Coordinates of all heavy atoms in Angstrom, one line a residue:
P685 N -2.7 28.4 1.7 CA -3.8 27.8 2.5 C -4.7 26.8 1.7 O -4.8 26.9 0.5 CB -4.6 29.0 2.9 CG -4.3 30.0 1.8 CD -2.9 29.8 1.4
V686 N -5.3 26.0 2.4 CA -6.4 25.1 1.9 C -7.6 25.3 2.8 O -7.5 24.9 4.0 CB -5.9 23.6 1.9 CG1 -7.1 22.7 1.3 CG2 -4.7 23.4 1.0
L687 N -8.6 25.9 2.3 CA -9.7 26.3 3.1 C -11.0 25.6 2.6 O -11.1 25.3 1.4 CB -9.9 27.8 3.2 CG -8.7 28.6 3.6 CD1 -9.0 30.1 3.5 CD2 -8.4 28.3 5.1
M688 N -12.0 25.5 3.5 CA -13.3 25.0 3.0 C -14.4 26.0 3.5 O -14.6 26.3 4.7 CB -13.6 23.7 3.6 CG -13.0 22.5 3.0 SD -13.8 20.9 3.3 CE -13.8 20.9 5.0
R689 N -15.1 26.6 2.5 CA -16.2 27.5 2.8 C -17.5 26.7 2.6 O -17.9 26.4 1.5 CB -16.2 28.8 1.9 CG -17.3 29.7 2.2 CD -17.5 30.7 1.1 NE -18.5 31.8 1.4 CZ -19.8 31.7 1.4 NH1 -20.4 30.5 1.1 NH2 -20.6 32.7 1.7
L690 N -18.2 26.4 3.7 CA -19.3 25.6 3.7 C -20.6 26.4 4.1 O -20.5 27.2 5.0 CB -19.2 24.4 4.7 CG -18.0 23.5 4.5 CD1 -18.0 22.3 5.4 CD2 -17.9 23.0 3.0
D691 N -21.7 26.2 3.4 CA -22.9 26.8 3.7 C -23.9 25.7 4.1 O -24.2 24.8 3.3 CB -23.5 27.6 2.5 CG -24.7 28.5 2.8 OD1 -25.5 28.1 3.7 OD2 -24.8 29.5 2.2
Y692 N -24.4 25.8 5.4 CA -25.2 24.8 5.9 C -26.7 25.0 5.6 O -27.6 24.2 5.9 CB -25.1 24.7 7.4 CG -23.8 23.9 7.8 CD1 -22.5 24.5 7.7 CD2 -23.8 22.6 8.2 CE1 -21.4 23.9 8.0 CE2 -22.7 21.9 8.5 CZ -21.4 22.5 8.4 OH -20.3 21.8 8.7
D693 N -27.0 26.0 4.8 CA -28.4 26.3 4.4 C -28.4 26.3 2.8 O -29.3 27.0 2.2 CB -28.9 27.6 4.9 CG -29.2 27.5 6.4 OD1 -29.8 26.5 6.8 OD2 -28.9 28.5 7.1
L694 N -27.5 25.6 2.2 CA -27.5 25.6 0.7 C -27.1 24.2 0.2 O -26.5 23.4 1.0 CB -26.4 26.6 0.3 CG -26.4 27.0 -1.2 CD1 -27.7 27.7 -1.6 CD2 -25.3 28.0 -1.5
G695 N -27.5 23.9 -1.0 CA -27.1 22.6 -1.6 C -26.2 22.9 -2.8 O -25.1 23.5 -2.7
H696 N -26.6 22.5 -4.0 CA -25.8 22.6 -5.2 C -25.7 24.0 -5.7 O -24.9 24.3 -6.6 CB -26.3 21.6 -6.3 CG -25.3 21.3 -7.3 ND1 -24.1 20.6 -7.0 CD2 -25.2 21.5 -8.6 CE1 -23.4 20.4 -8.1 NE2 -24.0 20.9 -9.1
G697 N -26.6 24.8 -5.2 CA -26.6 26.2 -5.7 C -28.0 26.8 -6.0 O -28.3 27.9 -5.8
G698 N -28.8 25.9 -6.6 CA -30.2 26.3 -6.9 C -31.0 26.6 -5.7 O -30.9 26.0 -4.7
G699 N -31.8 27.7 -5.8 CA -32.6 28.0 -4.7 C -31.9 29.0 -3.7 O -32.5 29.4 -2.7
G700 N -30.7 29.3 -3.9 CA -29.9 30.2 -3.0 C -30.5 31.6 -3.0 O -31.0 32.1 -4.0
T701 N -30.5 32.2 -1.8 CA -31.1 33.6 -1.7 C -30.1 34.6 -2.3 O -28.9 34.2 -2.5 CB -31.4 33.9 -0.3 OG1 -30.1 34.0 0.4 CG2 -32.3 32.9 0.3
R702 N -30.5 35.8 -2.6 CA -29.6 36.8 -3.0 C -28.5 37.1 -2.0 O -27.4 37.2 -2.4 CB -30.4 38.1 -3.3 CG -29.6 39.2 -3.9 CD -30.3 40.5 -3.9 NE -31.5 40.5 -4.7 CZ -31.5 40.8 -6.1 NH1 -30.3 41.0 -6.7 NH2 -32.6 40.8 -6.7
N703 N -28.9 37.1 -0.7 CA -27.9 37.3 0.3 C -26.8 36.3 0.3 O -25.6 36.5 0.4 CB -28.5 37.4 1.7 CG -29.4 38.7 1.8 OD1 -29.2 39.6 1.1 ND2 -30.3 38.7 2.8
Q704 N -27.3 35.0 0.1 CA -26.3 33.9 0.1 C -25.3 34.0 -1.1 O -24.1 33.8 -1.0 CB -27.0 32.6 0.0 CG -27.6 32.1 1.4 CD -28.4 30.8 1.2 OE1 -29.3 30.7 0.4 NE2 -28.1 29.8 2.0
Q705 N -25.9 34.3 -2.3 CA -25.2 34.4 -3.5 C -24.2 35.6 -3.4 O -23.0 35.5 -3.9 CB -26.1 34.6 -4.7 CG -26.9 33.4 -4.9 CD -28.1 33.6 -5.9 OE1 -28.4 34.8 -6.2 NE2 -28.7 32.6 -6.4
Q706 N -24.6 36.7 -2.9 CA -23.7 37.9 -2.8 C -22.6 37.6 -1.8 O -21.4 37.9 -2.1 CB -24.5 39.1 -2.3 CG -25.4 39.6 -3.4 CD -26.2 40.9 -2.9 OE1 -26.2 41.2 -1.7 NE2 -27.0 41.5 -3.8
A707 N -22.9 37.0 -0.7 CA -21.8 36.7 0.3 C -20.8 35.7 -0.3 O -19.6 35.8 -0.1 CB -22.5 36.1 1.6
Q708 N -21.3 34.7 -1.0 CA -20.4 33.7 -1.6 C -19.5 34.3 -2.6 O -18.3 34.1 -2.6 CB -21.2 32.5 -2.2 CG -20.3 31.5 -2.9 CD -21.1 30.3 -3.4 OE1 -21.7 29.6 -2.6 NE2 -21.2 30.1 -4.7
T709 N -20.0 35.2 -3.5 CA -19.2 35.8 -4.5 C -18.2 36.8 -3.8 O -17.0 36.8 -4.2 CB -20.1 36.7 -5.4 OG1 -21.0 35.8 -6.1 CG2 -19.2 37.4 -6.5
A710 N -18.6 37.5 -2.8 CA -17.7 38.4 -2.1 C -16.5 37.6 -1.5 O -15.3 38.0 -1.6 CB -18.4 39.2 -1.0
D711 N -16.8 36.4 -1.0 CA -15.8 35.6 -0.4 C -14.8 35.1 -1.5 O -13.6 35.0 -1.2 CB -16.4 34.5 0.4 CG -17.0 35.0 1.7 OD1 -16.7 36.1 2.2 OD2 -17.8 34.2 2.3
I712 N -15.4 34.6 -2.6 CA -14.5 34.1 -3.6 C -13.6 35.2 -4.2 O -12.4 34.9 -4.4 CB -15.4 33.4 -4.7 CG1 -16.1 32.2 -4.2 CG2 -14.5 33.0 -5.9 CD1 -17.1 31.5 -5.1
W713 N -14.2 36.3 -4.6 CA -13.3 37.4 -5.1 C -12.3 37.8 -4.1 O -11.2 38.1 -4.5 CB -14.2 38.6 -5.5 CG -15.2 38.5 -6.6 CD1 -16.1 39.5 -7.0 CD2 -15.4 37.4 -7.6 NE1 -16.8 39.1 -8.1 CE2 -16.4 37.9 -8.5 CE3 -14.8 36.2 -7.8 CZ2 -16.9 37.0 -9.5 CZ3 -15.3 35.4 -8.8 CH2 -16.3 35.8 -9.7
S714 N -12.7 37.9 -2.8 CA -11.8 38.3 -1.8 C -10.6 37.3 -1.6 O -9.4 37.7 -1.4 CB -12.5 38.5 -0.4 OG -13.4 39.5 -0.5
F715 N -10.9 36.1 -1.7 CA -9.9 35.0 -1.6 C -8.9 35.1 -2.8 O -7.7 35.1 -2.5 CB -10.6 33.6 -1.6 CG -9.6 32.5 -1.6 CD1 -8.9 32.1 -0.4 CD2 -9.3 31.8 -2.7 CE1 -8.0 31.1 -0.4 CE2 -8.4 30.7 -2.7 CZ -7.7 30.4 -1.5
F716 N -9.4 35.3 -4.0 CA -8.5 35.5 -5.1 C -7.6 36.7 -4.9 O -6.4 36.7 -5.1 CB -9.3 35.6 -6.4 CG -9.7 34.3 -7.0 CD1 -11.1 34.0 -7.3 CD2 -8.8 33.3 -7.3 CE1 -11.4 32.8 -7.9 CE2 -9.2 32.1 -7.9 CZ -10.5 31.8 -8.2
L717 N -8.2 37.8 -4.6 CA -7.4 39.1 -4.4 C -6.4 39.0 -3.3 O -5.3 39.5 -3.4 CB -8.4 40.2 -4.2 CG -9.3 40.6 -5.5 CD1 -10.4 41.5 -5.1 CD2 -8.4 41.1 -6.6
W718 N -6.8 38.3 -2.3 CA -5.8 38.0 -1.2 C -4.6 37.3 -1.7 O -3.5 37.7 -1.5 CB -6.6 37.2 -0.1 CG -5.7 36.5 0.9 CD1 -4.4 36.8 1.3 CD2 -6.1 35.4 1.7 NE1 -4.0 35.9 2.2 CE2 -5.0 35.0 2.5 CE3 -7.2 34.6 1.8 CZ2 -5.0 34.0 3.4 CZ3 -7.3 33.6 2.7 CH2 -6.2 33.2 3.5
Q719 N -4.9 36.2 -2.4 CA -3.8 35.4 -3.0 C -3.0 36.1 -4.1 O -1.8 35.7 -4.3 CB -4.3 34.1 -3.4 CG -4.9 33.2 -2.3 CD -4.0 33.0 -1.2 OE1 -2.8 32.7 -1.4 NE2 -4.5 33.2 0.1
F720 N -3.6 37.1 -4.7 CA -2.9 37.8 -5.8 C -2.1 38.9 -5.1 O -1.4 39.7 -5.9 CB -3.9 38.4 -6.7 CG -4.6 37.4 -7.6 CD1 -5.8 37.7 -8.3 CD2 -4.3 36.0 -7.6 CE1 -6.5 36.8 -9.1 CE2 -5.0 35.1 -8.3 CZ -6.1 35.5 -9.0
G721 N -2.1 39.1 -3.8 CA -1.3 40.1 -3.2 C -1.8 41.5 -3.2 O -1.1 42.4 -2.9

Side-chain angles (χ1 to χ4, degrees):
V686 179
L687 303 177
M688 283 202 303
R689 184 196 186 277
L690 305 183
D691 190 327
Y692 282 78
D693 288 320
L694 196 63
H696 202 63
T701 67
R702 185 191 296 275
N703 290 342
Q704 286 176 304
Q705 294 167 347
Q706 290 180 353
Q708 178 172 297
T709 300
D711 287 345
I712 293 172
W713 291 176
S714 295
F715 177 76
F716 277 127
L717 293 169
W718 162 24
Q719 296 306 316
F720 295 168

